[in-house]
Amino acid sequence: MCEVLTNNMASTPLVLSTSFSSKLHLTSHTNKSHLHHRPLYSSPSSSSSSSSSSSSSSSYSISKLNFSSSKPLLFSRKLVARVSSEEHATEVRDDSGLVGEDAATFDLEKQKLSSWVYFTAILGVVLFILNLIWIDDSTGFGKVFVDTISGISDSHEVVMLVLILIFAGVHSGLASFRDSGEKLIGERAYRVLFAGTSLPLALTMIVYFINHRYDGLQLWQVQDVPGVHQLVWLSNFISFFFLYPSTFNLLEVAAVDKPKLHLYETGIMRITRHPQMVGQVMWCLGHTVWIGNSVAVAASFALIAHHLFGVWNGDRKLSERYGEDFEIVKDRTSIVPFAAILDGRQKLPKDFYKEFIRLPYLTITAITLGAYFAHPLMRAASFKLHW
């Protein structure tokens, strides 16, 4: 994962980041009108002699280099410098470098067995509590909740829309107030609150959709058309690579590690800055084409609208948290898949494919295939809830 180190200089920040985990600490002394050029590997003492040669019009100086590791560093990341001349100042940026995080990295040597033991224990506790207070008809509130919403209308389409609206309001609302909430009760406690309210509502929405997916008005029927099943299956399979970037940090999802708001810039993020929205659109279109009725249309409309709002809300939160770094990432990524690549703003490295040959993506592949073959079990479990 790349590290971005920003120096607070008198005029403008000089940012260097590396391909390795070694940390580069820079202390720069500059005046407001000129930045003096020195080689990156100059000794600390060389900066003092450069002060007398201020006639150089477009250069910079580095007065001190401190390395936390003896390994050599490769300066293949971002360089931002304010270059001034007698006429004007121009900001020069090498956009081939990363200011965000390297996504889907998983270093087995850095994993702690205790952390994954905690994760397994927390997952078990969460599932037990979810069953007790929501799923089990004798003790939970899930059926009461669904019956209450169903009393609003006899239309399954209306009920589906209301269920998604409630989930979207709670989910996006809590996400919007994340900064304030974390300051008030802490990152881990807020993640528990966020998951504890979103999970039962999401489960209710999914179960209701499965149980009533064929109860609406049939608008078209293409399930017998050759090639449609294969096309729908492929689109849904690909959608999961966009839908679940949260698998990059499972320990943070369970609050074992302190949850963070990440600014990713590699892997799926090179294709689109909002992969969850793209994945949701793909999933909705595939299921709507296959089912072809009014319930599927209503569900897809509401889910896509929710994720389109998430595009705006997500950019807003990242901008507030990361400022200039997010603006740099925003400039060289796109919401529409592949748009930044096609217009040249996103420069793919030669070994781009290696960013996908990582454990989290392999895990998504296994889970997606498992979920497909488990569809009969999912339908049977949903039917037993009678929601």
Side-chain angles (χ1 to χ4, degrees), residues 302-314:
L303 287 172
I304 291 174
H306 173 221
H307 281 76
L308 288 176
F309 169 79
V311 169
W312 170 82
N313 200 31

Side-chain angles (χ1 to χ4, degrees), residues 99 107 127-128 138 221 264 367:
V99 298
D107 190 344
L127 293 178
F128 174 79
S138 61
Q221 179 60 260
Y264 291 122
I367 292 176

Side-chain angles (χ1 to χ4, degrees), residues 227-291:
V228 170
H229 178 268
Q230 291 78 4
L231 180 62
V232 169
W233 187 92
L234 182 62
S235 66
N236 284 316
F237 178 79
I238 295 175
S239 74
F240 279 82
F241 288 91
F242 291 86
L243 268 170
Y244 295 110
S246 59
T247 57
F248 297 162
N249 295 279
L250 281 177
L251 295 180
E252 290 184 24
V253 173
V256 176
D257 288 345
K258 184 178 293 186
K260 302 175 183 176
L261 181 62
H262 293 274
L263 179 63
Y264 291 122
E265 199 180 349
T266 63
I268 206 73
M269 302 298 173
R270 295 187 188 273
I271 297 174
T272 172
R273 190 169 67 254
H274 290 281
Q276 285 184 300
M277 181 275 293
V278 174
Q280 188 66 72
V281 170
M282 294 179 66
W283 187 92
C284 286
L285 292 179
H287 280 78
T288 301
V289 168
W290 183 252
I291 297 173

Side-chain angles (χ1 to χ4, degrees), residues 327-362:
E327 295 303 321
I328 295 172
V329 173
K330 183 179 179 181
D331 287 343
R332 58 191 181 206
T333 56
S334 60
I335 297 173
V336 178
F338 300 102
I341 298 173
L342 294 176
D343 64 23
R345 290 182 290 120
Q346 175 65 233
K347 305 295 184 182
L348 296 179
K350 293 181 180 179
D351 57 351
F352 170 61
Y353 67 94
K354 293 182 180 179
E355 295 179 357
F356 289 90
I357 308 178
R358 294 174 174 177
L359 184 60
Y361 287 115
L362 297 178

